[in-house]
Amino acid sequence: ASRKGILVKGSNYLDVLAKVGTVVFDKTGTLTHGQFEVTAVHLEKCDEQHLLHLAAHVEHFSTHPIGAALRDAFPDEATDGCKISDVEEIAGQGIKAKVEDWTVCVGNTKLMDSIGIEWHDCEHVGTIIHVAIDGEYAGHIVINDKIKDDSAEAIQALESLGVNRIVMLTGDRAAVGKDVAQKLGLTEYHVELMPADKVQHVERLLAEKQEGKYLAFVGDGINDAPVLARADIGIAMGGLGSDAAIEAADVVLMDDKPSKIALAIKIARRTLCIAKQNVWFAIGVKIAVLVLAAFGIATMWMAVFADVGVTVLAVLNAMRALHVRG
Ligand code: ADP
Ligand code: MG
């Protein structure tokens, strides 16, 4: 698995991977690239450069894909030496910070509601990032993300492996969530979730899963760490993922490709199958020789084969696990 860019943090997780029946995906950074581009800026109070300037500074320390997009939209951010202080990142909502003497809040409608700012809706399709400066609504920035090339393929591969329930959870707006789910052929998706809501959905899905089957959660952000830990098996994106997500996960996909999940399941099933073959083979031969010995027909060489011979054959058989196609 390591050779294919799949880091499995323990052999017990292979056991669980082989029996996955439900896969729950996060959207941003997991099914989509998480590389947003600013497509529009709608202003209420200040001018565009000022808004982008403040938004970029607030996101200075952010590891969220949205933060990177806002920094890219104002390239001078790193060099103009503005002072940033009192940064507070609220998972699933956005960021508050002080830039020079301005108090700036950048985030979604939930953040605006929580600080009591009246916001304006936007008719554009995309993720809307609202900005408030010194307690007044300043405008919003529309950003857009692209679905990963192999996301659709990943979902089909999981279905063909017998994973019977695939769900998408996202903290993003309903319009964006619906658009992505439709493009990927997902029928079950839930939108506008806070990290705690994601845990609740996963709890529900854990209660509803089939006997003997397990639930996998695939995510990338700090907001996903609680669910990654709660799921039977947590899978994180290693390239784009936040440290917290990678730490909380049991399996890490080094190249961020969701199609690797199906491959990981294939590797796990094959490994488990070989392990079972070896167990039955070893016990079978030993019992056979034991029975022969009880009737006095076993020879010393048969006993040696039942012990060392079987071990060598089992090791050779196990080496087949090194070759998995795909
Ligand atoms: P997802 O579940 O799709 O990965 P998140 O839970 O990370 O999304 O984020 C949910 C929403 O919270 C985003 O769509 C955005 O509106 C807002 N948000 C989160 N982090 C930030 C940030 N650093 N800057 C601005 N907005 C943010
Ligand atoms: Mg995410």
Side-chain angles (χ1 to χ4, degrees), residues 6 17 20 23-25 30-31 154 157-158 161 163 216-218 235 237 251 253 257-267:
I6 305 163
L17 262 181
V20 163
V23 178
V24 185
F25 284 99
T30 304
L31 288 173
L158 286 174
L161 282 174
V163 173
F217 181 86
V218 198
I235 304 174
M237 300 290 143
V251 175
L253 305 178
K257 283 192 180 151
S259 55
K260 287 285 167 75
I261 300 162
L263 181 61
I265 294 177
K266 267 193 223 158
I267 291 174

Side-chain angles (χ1 to χ4, degrees), residues 26 28 59 62 64 66 92-95 107-108 170-172 198 223:
D26 163 59
T28 316
E59 301 280 358
S62 171
H64 199 283
I66 291 176
Q93 294 194 354
I95 302 198
N108 55 16
T170 178
D172 212 338
K198 287 191 182 177
N223 56 325

Side-chain angles (χ1 to χ4, degrees), residues 26-30 36 58-59 62-67 70 89-95 106-109 111 127-130 169-173 193-195 198 220-224:
D26 163 59
K27 179 182 76 70
T28 316
T30 304
F36 291 91
V58 169
E59 301 280 358
S62 171
T63 53
H64 199 283
I66 291 176
L70 295 183
E89 179 155 11
I90 305 147
Q93 294 194 354
I95 302 198
V106 179
N108 55 16
T109 54
L111 181 74
T127 304
I128 314 291
I129 304 300
H130 299 273
L169 303 180
T170 178
D172 212 338
R173 303 164 71 204
L193 302 175
M194 296 292 295
K198 287 191 182 177
D220 71 303
I222 21 170
N223 56 325
D224 299 323

